[in-house]
Each structure stands twice: as C-alpha cells, then as structure tokens.
Amino acid sequence: MRTRHYLLATQKETPADAEIVSHRLMLRAGLIRKLSAGLYTWLPTGLRVLRKVEQVVREEMDRAGAQEVVMPVVQPAELWQESGRWVQYGPELLRIKDRHERDFCLGPTHEEVVTELVRNEVNSYRQLPINLYQIQTKVRDEIRPRFGVMRSREFIMKDAYSFHASQASLEETYRAMHVAYCAVFERLGLAFRPVVADSGSIGGSTSQEFHVLADSGEDAIAFSDGSDYAANIEMAEALPPTAARPAPTAALEEVATPGVDSIASLCSHLAVDATRTVKTLVVAGEEPGSLVALVLRGDHSLNTVKAEKLPGVASPLRLVEEAEVRDTFGAGFGSLGPVGVALPVIADRSAAVLADFSCGANRDGYHLVGVNWERDLPLPRIEDLREVVEGDPSPDGKGVLQLKRGIEVGHIFQLGTKYSEAMDATVLDEHGRSVTLHMGCYGIGVSRIVAAAIEQNHDDRGITWPAAMAPFEVAIVPLNMHKSEAVTSAAEALYEHCRAAGIDVLLDDRDERPGVKFADMELIGIPHRIVIGDKSLAEGEFEYKGRKDDEAQRIDRDHALDFLRAKLAG
RNA sequence: CGGUGUGUAGCGCAGCCUGGUAGCGCACUUCCUUCGGGAGGAAGGGGUCGCAGGUUCAAAUCCUGCCACACCGACCA
C-alpha cells in the first residue's frame, strides 16, 4: 500500500470526548470514526487490525474443531419468545418491526438461532458433539456506550456454540475452548488472565472470563499470590474470619452524633476505626414490597452479585429509596442500624464476628456504641455479602488476594440445557431414547480486543502493536523522494521486493517533510521502519528502526529484505 | 432512566455575561522558500452559530420548548 492514495486519516489533535488512551489513539491514528453514540466506522487501518485479530481467532477455532457459519443479524421475535428472553432480556435488546408489523430484534447474541438450526439439522447422537461459530456484528442497545469501541452498541464478536449428548462431552469441549482461547490471546501478544466468572443473564452454571490486564479496565479481578486462583471480584468469596467473636466488654450506649451521615464521619466523630463499625443497607426482598436489611463491616463494600443470589433478596438487586427507609426505620440512611429492626437481617461474615461495635441508632443524629450480637440483638442470618479486598485470604486457601483491573475480552460458559430444554432441542441416543442437548457457548470480543491491545501497548508517540495485530508489518519512509531519483528507485525496489515476499508493507510516498512521516508511522504503530535517504544511500545503506527501539541502525541495502524477513520471523 | 455539563467551519476552541459586520489555531487549496523529527511567508475556500418557537428595529448572544452528544451511577464481549 502507498500512503499517497491511502486514507491514513491521522490527526494531531485529540477529540475532546475521548476519555481513555485507546479511544484517543484509535481516533488519532485513523482507525475509527464515530458516526453516532456507540456506532463507529472502521477506516482502512483499523479494519486491517480487526482482520488480523479475526484471522487468529478463526485459525484457533478451526484448529479446535469448530466450524464457521454466519447467522442473521435480524432475528424473529418468535424464537426469543420461545426461549423466554423476549421479555427477560430487557431494553438492551434492540427490537424492530417489519412492514407487516411483525416483531424482530437485532441479535445481541445467537443462542436462539443456533439452537433452532441444530434442532432441525442434528437428530442423532452420532452427529455430536458439534461446535459452530461465527465472527459477526452484534447489536446491543447499551445503556451507556463509552470508551469508543470498548463498549459500543454495535461490535464484532466471535461467538461459538457447542452441542452435546452428555455433560461429560460438554466439559471436554469447554476445556478445549479454554485451551484455544489461551492460544488466541498468546498469539495476539496480550497479557491476560482467565478468571472464574458469574454467568449472568446468559444463564448456565460454570463460566470463565478472559481478561486483558489494564488499569482502565471496567472489571476488578482478584487473584491469589500463592496459587492459580483468579476470579472476577463479583465471584470471589470472602472466607469466614478464622478468629472467634470476642466476648463483650463495653456497655451499650446511645450517643448523639449530629451531622454524622457516613462511616467516615462516624469514625472521626467517635475516634473509632471503620473496622469496628457496621453499616446497614436496605434492599428489596423477594416478596413484592418486602425489605431486607444487609449488615456489613464499615470498611467493606456490598457485592451486589452475591447479594442478589441470596434467597429472600430480590433479583436484580434494588437499593431502596431513603423515603421508604424512613417509613420503616424512622431514620434516614445515615443513622440506620440492625438493633431492634423488625425486618429480616442478613449480616456479612466479617460483621458477624465483631464485638463492641458502633452502628446507627435508627434515630436521626444518634448512633449506638458498644453493641454486641446475642446480647443487644439476636445473631442474624450470616452470609458472604461483601466484596473481597486486597490482602484477604484466597478462597482456595493458598496465599492472599491481590486486585487488578481487567478488560473482559472473552467468556466461556457451560449453558447446560437452558436453551435446548426451552426450545426442545433433542437427539436420539444409542438406545433410541430422546435426550435433551447439553450446550456450551464461547464468546470473544473481537473489536474490543483491538482497543484492549492498545491499552496495553502504547507510548507517548502512539501505538506499539504486538506483531500479530499491526496493520502493516513494515513502513518504508523515503526522504526527499520527489527530488532524489536514487531514493525513489531504491524505495520502489524495496517496496516491490517486500510485496513479492508477502510482507504487509506501507510505502510513504507522500510529499511530506520527514518529521510528518515519522510521526504518522509511529502513531499508527508499524513495528518495523526502513528509512531511505540520500546520505546513507550513498554508502549503500538503509536505516532500520523497530517501533520500540531507542536507536536506528544502518543495514546493507542489498540484504534489507533478508534482514526484514529475519525481524518478522523472530 | 437519574445527576452534571456541552452544542459556533473537518478537528480543537473563543465570542454569549453587557444583543448591532461570525472569529482564532490545526487541517484544506494555490504560489514562493524550506526539506532527517509534526517548517516559514503570501493569498484563498469553507459556517442555516444543534432544531423550533418567542422577545426585539435587530438574536450565536436574552426567554421557552425540543433534540443530540459527553461525563458520573444500575448492564456486558
């Protein structure tokens, strides 16, 4: 490719609304342009990167025995009604009507379509297992699109669906997908971690996420420093404290705490540590109109995923309005406590082992100190409610937890029979009996990977692509090309040799000053750069610089191609 | 959906308070000089000031409504 007629679309200035580095660089390097909120055009350079990611994914899926298909983006409502998700999925499902007023949706995922396909085409256990995948545009009407293609309303995803006659077969494919995913992210040169995950709205039991580690990640992940344990923080269990609850030593007392409406202000007012306080959160119960009080140690945070899975607690979790709380407790948020409340109370494991603690008095402007379970109030139901913090013991008993942030780029699920049962997808087994299919599903956020890779690979000049993802492998930068015939012919010759050798090469034949060319090639992150100028050319040499190198080096022009081949191979 | 903020040339912004000729930088076009790290000069092109209504002799500016976008909280690849 030559830059002269190539839509390079680089820009010096950063659009004001780009918050994270990958979004800024994708705009500046001319990878994407925004059409509307959460909707992006992929420009030639961006598309090249996208295609490289797709190809790695495709190769590893094929290697793992999956077969590629393409399913429709537009899907009939009937299928979604059959699985129950037409009502369950919520407003994120973008619904449309055709000219006959029939309901359709734009596919956010394809469980229904693929199950419909397989129940028609596969009838015997002999045809199983089967694993079908596609690389295709998905549509989700995101509440809040942000960070460019990281969270957009339209995005490219690889989604695979496997079907099995038994749970054992499903587990085998699930493991194979785990291996394939690790291979994909390794080939792409990304620092990643597989983590135990919540299966969320897709359903099913076992699931793991693959996270690219980055400070800008939207997810927190917890992992042990003493074992392989790693989990999304939503799933990380906070183990029960090992120490028993101390005996009470203080007397129960109500103290005036004017203006105190938070744990922080309570601590400074009473000169106590947050670990000796308790906070009370009120959420909706399972029965319509009912409430449940959740009690956590002052320095801990509620884990909403854990909470909404508890029997008696409404799912999705709903924190109630202050007015509602006031009706029940007679006090506002800042003065709530578990003493003397008529509601079901659930205490976190850490809160349940406190003695002589402080909490709200259920009277505005007052708190209780010296509170003790079983003396001042009954010991309530105890559950794991809180978010783990750094330094907690690892749930597998080995080591302590560390927290990092991650970008979810892959997710594998064992769905079980959720969809096959709802949609009556069965085969006959070797005894001629009808068995419900077991199902797995496996997603990779292809467009998100592009952004995630930039989060991990950039410097103050631009993107520093991992080799496998770079839009071009080699940039040829001739200096003074329009004036020097020697430079022109050398550049043209090297360009043709590279093309003949199958190298992805970009020849910068623009009539621009050197600084402009260098800056652009570095911004878009081409890993290898050959500069051809009159001075070095007179000595029969080119100049080579790797994108991450500090210094350029001279190379013999006659061996430039071999030199590049060696660089690309290694 | 709630909270906050912003809509003026392709991009980044000023002008609005105090109504009166629509401006700056980058980018773009032409010419001259320059040419190994985002050059200098000269001359140009490009805007229904988000939309609709209102106030006024006069609205980018004041008022009302609507729309769009961004950021902060509940969703997910």
Side-chain angles (χ1 to χ4, degrees):
Chain A
M1 186 58 67
R2 295 161 185 269
T3 51
R4 191 181 280 272
H5 297 293
Y6 179 74
L7 188 55
L8 210 50
T10 54
Q11 44 190 208
K12 266 193 267 190
E13 292 187 82
T14 308
D17 54 8
E19 202 64 13
I20 62 172
V21 65
S22 62
H23 189 193
R24 282 200 293 272
L25 286 174
M26 288 183 82
L27 291 165
R28 285 230 293 136
L31 269 55
I32 56 168
R33 283 293 181 267
K34 184 173 79 170
L35 178 64
S36 181
L39 300 173
Y40 289 86
T41 296
W42 288 82
L43 301 179
T45 309
L47 185 60
R48 282 176 163 266
V49 178
L50 202 54
R51 292 281 184 253
K52 295 211 172 177
V53 175
E54 285 180 12
Q55 196 50 36
V56 169
V57 170
R58 183 173 282 121
E59 286 170 17
E60 292 302 326
M61 291 305 291
D62 290 344
R63 189 199 306 279
Q67 303 171 59
E68 187 167 5
V69 296
V70 176
M71 294 181 268
V73 174
V74 178
Q75 305 178 10
E78 286 77 14
L79 277 182
W80 287 73
Q81 283 155 354
E82 204 177 332
S83 72
R85 289 208 293 183
W86 185 256
V87 285
Q88 188 209 333
Y89 209 94
E92 209 173 271
L93 184 63
L94 187 57
R95 293 153 220 252
I96 56 172
K97 279 184 193 294
D98 72 1
R99 64 170 74 195
H100 307 296
E101 290 288 302
R102 289 182 47 198
D103 287 312
F104 290 84
C105 63
L106 300 183
T109 176
H110 283 69
E111 281 84 4
E112 282 80 1
V113 175
V114 76
T115 303
E116 203 276 337
L117 176 75
V118 168
R119 74 178 168 188
N120 291 334
E121 305 303 326
V122 175
N123 307 302
S124 161
Y125 74 98
R126 287 201 187 89
Q127 294 167 281
L128 299 177
I130 188 170
N131 191 357
L132 300 173
Y133 79 96
Q134 63 176 346
I135 295 174
Q136 199 230 29
T137 297
K138 297 281 189 269
V139 180
R140 290 186 195 170
D141 198 356
E142 285 283 347
I143 301 168
R144 187 148 89 81
R146 63 188 133 170
F147 301 151
V149 300
M150 197 75 91
R151 173 171 304 282
S152 51
R153 292 198 289 182
E154 224 184 78
F155 58 97
I156 296 175
M157 182 168 154
K158 187 285 300 176
D159 49 327
Y161 307 88
S162 70
F163 295 85
H164 312 268
S166 71
Q167 173 66 22
S169 168
L170 167 57
E171 284 169 16
E172 196 178 318
T173 296
Y174 182 84
R175 283 192 297 272
M177 284 295 103
H178 191 287
V179 170
Y181 274 38
C182 289
V184 166
F185 299 124
E186 262 156 37
R187 279 183 61 183
L188 292 175
L190 300 171
F192 72 100
R193 286 296 289 249
V195 307
V196 177
D198 179 41
S199 47
S201 66
I202 306 267
S205 51
T206 307
S207 98
Q208 277 167 292
E209 292 167 351
F210 290 77
H211 282 262
V212 165
L213 303 176
D215 291 336
S216 59
E218 290 187 90
D219 290 290
I221 61 179
F223 60 97
S224 171
D225 64 1
S227 72
D228 288 342
Y229 177 86
N232 191 304
I233 197 164
E234 294 169 345
M235 290 292 285
E237 182 184 5
L239 294 178
T242 48
R245 177 157 44 95
T249 60
L252 178 66
E253 195 185 339
E254 187 178 73
V255 295
T257 52
V260 169
D261 60 354
S262 68
I263 293 293
S265 56
L266 178 68
C267 290
S268 59
H269 189 268
L270 296 178
V272 296
D273 199 86
T275 58
R276 303 293 306 280
T277 67
V278 139
K279 67 172 107 176
T280 304
L281 307 172
V282 184
V283 300
E286 234 162 6
E287 295 298 315
S290 70
L291 299 179
V292 177
L294 304 178
V295 177
L296 291 145
R297 210 171 76 184
D299 59 320
H300 286 151
S301 306
L302 178 70
N303 181 319
T304 56
V305 171
K306 289 176 181 176
E308 70 186 18
K309 282 184 183 164
L310 295 176
V313 175
S315 178
L317 193 78
R318 185 176 70 87
L319 285 161
V320 304
E321 303 292 323
E322 183 148 19
E324 220 172 322
V325 163
R326 198 167 283 282
D327 289 346
T328 315
F329 286 75
F333 282 154
S335 298
L336 299 184
V339 179
V341 304
L343 300 177
V345 175
I346 304 175
D348 180 65
R349 290 163 171 175
S350 298
V353 296
L354 292 179
D356 302 334
F357 60 85
S358 308
C359 64
N362 296 326
R363 183 179 162 203
D364 281 329
Y366 289 88
H367 281 76
L368 299 176
V369 299
V371 184
N372 283 279
W373 300 111
E374 291 186 297
R375 185 190 72 182
D376 307 319
L377 72 170
L379 191 64
R381 178 174 158 201
I382 299 168
E383 300 281 2
D384 175 22
L385 288 178
R386 70 177 174 94
E387 210 120 90
V388 293
V389 294
E390 227 163 272
D392 276 345
S394 175
D396 67 354
K398 295 175 215 151
V400 295
L401 291 179
Q402 315 240 297
L403 299 183
K404 279 203 179 176
R405 301 210 61 88
I407 299 165
E408 185 189 352
V409 292
H411 203 157
I412 58 178
F413 299 84
Q414 292 183 25
L415 290 175
T417 57
K418 173 175 167 164
Y419 295 92
S420 42
E421 216 165 285
M423 298 181 63
D424 197 25
T426 60
V427 292
L428 294 183
D429 69 9
E430 62 265 52
H431 308 295
R433 284 185 305 231
S434 178
V435 294
T436 302
L437 291 170
H438 290 254
M439 211 174 147
C441 87
Y442 320 93
I444 289 182
V446 174
S447 42
R448 180 180 281 184
I449 282 177
V450 176
I454 296 171
E455 289 293 323
Q456 266 187 3
N457 299 281
H458 64 270
D459 61 18
D460 55 356
R461 293 179 172 182
I463 304 167
T464 56
W465 294 112
M469 296 177 68
F472 296 95
E473 296 172 295
V474 172
I476 300 174
V477 182
L479 304 180
N480 240 340
M481 190 184 185
H482 60 293
K483 287 233 182 101
S484 166
E485 258 180 53
V487 167
T488 302
S489 64
E492 292 287 353
L494 180 62
Y495 177 63
E496 288 308 329
H497 290 151
C498 284
R499 280 163 54 91
I503 295 171
D504 259 338
V505 59
L506 183 66
L507 172 63
D508 197 346
D509 58 353
R510 293 176 296 173
D511 183 11
E512 284 286 356
R513 299 165 64 86
V516 173
K517 296 187 179 188
F518 295 154
D520 276 345
M521 296 303 110
E522 283 165 348
L523 177 60
I524 70 178
I526 301 176
H528 306 281
R529 184 185 80 187
I530 299 285
V531 174
I532 301 177
D534 275 316
K535 278 183 236 162
S536 52
L537 197 58
E539 295 163 32
E541 290 179 326
F542 296 157
E543 189 179 290
Y544 168 84
K545 187 168 178 293
R547 178 63 179 80
K548 296 177 191 171
D549 295 347
D550 294 326
E551 299 283 335
Q553 57 178 292
R554 292 287 193 94
I555 60 170
D556 187 306
R557 64 173 289 184
D558 295 329
H559 298 106
L561 189 62
D562 293 333
F563 178 88
L564 286 172
R565 278 206 185 103
K567 283 283 178 191
L568 293 171

